[in-house]
Amino acid sequence: PAHRSRRAPQTPLARGGRERSGMQQVLRQIQEAVEPVLERSLTKRRRQEFLASAGPLFLCLTFIEDALRVLLRWKEQMSYMTVTMRMSGWLGGLLLIFSLVTQMTGSVLVLRPKEVKPSRVKVGCYTLLAFVFLQPFMYGQARDADFMCRSVTLAGGLLLLIWSENDRKQRSEDMGLPSGMESTSSDRLQLCGRVLLTFLFFFQAVYSENGGMHRLWTAPSLFGLISFVVLAGLAGMVCAGFKTEWSALLLCGILFLSNLYMYPFWSIREGLRDFYRYYFFQTLSIIGGLMLLALHGPGGISLDKGMKKAI
């Protein structure tokens, strides 16, 4: 009879090797397809274009949301001013109108197209800064440490936007001042905004109920230790101007994820929804300030710049 060759039976090891080889080939194909997209989308120029558009928009979101709430829920706002704050009807109404007009005007001036001349970004920022200063006293939140830290952090973001506008004008036209004098003044403004922008993170690193330093003493946990080290470390890097772009972007990511976890206003009962919505959009505005810092850099008074200028 004719001889028929028989193929040796496949062992599990051989089958596993071929499966791993096939998986590696699939992963390699995915990598080859994704890498060009990432290289095109994550270039420095694309990143800067995104930050330049998203930073001011995010920074103004809390003001726009608060102004629309005054307009759309007028009766509830009046009830708070007259019952909780014990103001007269005319004074409460006047303050609410002031809140609405100030926030919408400042936001429109900041966000209007750059093609519209002359630029009124600085006027809008100063308008919003005035409201940030008055808001805790208008709504009786001056003794709330968390609210005050958030207000100070928002002010830091607005100062960074003012600094970026000054820097843009300085680059585009002759300001008529000695460059050293103007640069030093600009760097001080940038340093002030950068320091104020980190207030909330230092506060959360020390006092947060979900991982602040005091929790390490009352209820020690690995999560609490990691939260404190990461928040304090990144806030310190931003404050000192060390690896500023990436530390600011990393804080943006952490803050965005924690915002979704801590303030999901869309799934909260009606009684707390306004509170959660306000803090959600306020956190987005703080992210906008961090975006501006990542875009424009830490300025001259920073570790990244080698402390070239004296304070």
Side-chain angles (χ1 to χ4, degrees):
H3 174 74
R4 290 183 301 178
S5 61
R6 295 182 180 179
R7 185 175 298 175
Q10 296 182 358
T11 64
L13 182 60
R15 288 196 299 269
R18 273 192 292 272
E19 289 176 359
R20 285 194 298 271
S21 177
M23 182 64 68
Q24 290 174 357
Q25 186 177 0
V26 171
L27 291 176
R28 192 178 301 112
Q29 292 175 352
I30 294 175
Q31 180 181 359
E32 292 174 353
V34 170
E35 277 185 350
V37 177
L38 293 179
E39 289 177 357
R40 290 193 303 268
S41 59
L42 295 181
T43 60
K44 186 174 183 179
R45 181 178 178 181
R46 291 287 184 89
R47 191 167 64 246
Q48 288 180 341
E49 290 175 353
F50 170 76
L51 293 175
S53 301
L57 175 61
F58 273 53
L59 186 61
C60 292
L61 279 179
T62 187
F63 302 106
I64 296 173
E65 186 274 335
D66 195 42
L68 291 177
R69 176 174 17 193
V70 172
L71 182 63
L72 300 177
R73 310 188 73 164
W74 179 264
K75 290 184 178 180
E76 295 180 11
Q77 296 294 313
M78 278 296 296
S79 175
Y80 177 84
M81 300 299 281
T82 55
V83 177
T84 304
M85 296 300 297
R86 298 181 179 179
M87 296 181 181
S88 61
W90 68 269
L91 179 59
L94 186 63
L95 288 177
L96 289 178
I97 293 174
F98 168 79
S99 172
L100 171 62
V101 173
T102 302
Q103 293 184 92
M104 287 302 295
T105 301
S107 299
V108 169
L109 291 176
V110 168
L111 297 177
R112 72 178 188 170
K114 294 181 180 179
E115 292 75 15
V116 180
K117 303 293 182 179
S119 172
R120 290 289 182 264
V121 173
K122 289 174 63 176
V123 176
C125 287
Y126 286 127
T127 302
L128 295 177
L129 273 174
F131 178 78
V132 168
F133 175 78
L134 295 174
Q135 186 184 29
F137 303 97
M138 288 173 52
Y139 293 100
Q141 302 293 329
R143 295 183 179 181
D144 187 331
D146 181 68
F147 188 91
M148 292 301 296
C149 280
R150 287 174 174 272
S151 297
V152 170
T153 302
L154 272 179
L158 290 169
L159 288 179
L160 287 176
L161 187 54
I162 293 173
W163 172 82
S164 68
E165 187 69 8
N166 288 341
D167 185 67
R168 184 186 66 81
K169 287 186 177 181
Q170 182 180 351
R171 293 175 184 274
S172 63
E173 60 185 30
D174 182 14
M175 303 296 289
L177 292 174
S179 59
M181 179 188 306
E182 190 169 351
S183 297
T184 301
S185 175
S186 178
D187 288 339
R188 289 175 179 172
L189 177 63
Q190 205 278 354
L191 174 64
C192 183
R194 197 173 73 234
V195 171
L196 294 182
L197 192 62
T198 60
F199 258 60
L200 177 65
F201 300 102
F202 282 122
F203 178 81
Q204 293 289 343
V206 176
Y207 293 107
S208 173
E209 296 180 359
N210 297 315
M213 185 176 66
H214 77 289
R215 294 282 293 178
L216 297 178
W217 306 106
T218 58
S221 67
L222 180 61
F223 176 77
L225 177 62
I226 294 175
S227 299
F228 168 72
V229 172
V230 171
L231 278 180
L234 289 175
M237 291 171 65
V238 169
C239 190
F242 179 68
K243 302 295 182 183
T244 310
E245 179 181 1
W246 293 108
S247 57
L249 289 176
L250 187 54
L251 272 179
C252 284
I254 293 174
L255 199 57
F256 182 77
L257 293 177
S258 65
N259 196 31
L260 294 176
Y261 172 74
M262 296 178 64
Y263 305 113
F265 65 90
W266 52 88
S267 62
I268 297 298
R269 60 184 177 87
E270 185 64 29
L272 293 174
R273 189 167 298 166
D274 274 357
F275 171 81
Y276 273 65
R277 183 188 295 111
Y278 176 79
Y279 274 86
F280 180 86
F281 281 97
Q282 192 179 56
T283 304
L284 290 182
S285 292
I286 294 171
I287 291 175
L290 289 169
M291 287 180 175
L292 291 173
L293 179 61
L295 172 65
H296 297 290
I301 307 176
S302 63
L303 293 180
D304 282 348
K305 296 295 183 179
M307 299 297 290
K308 293 180 180 179
K309 300 180 179 64
I311 301 179

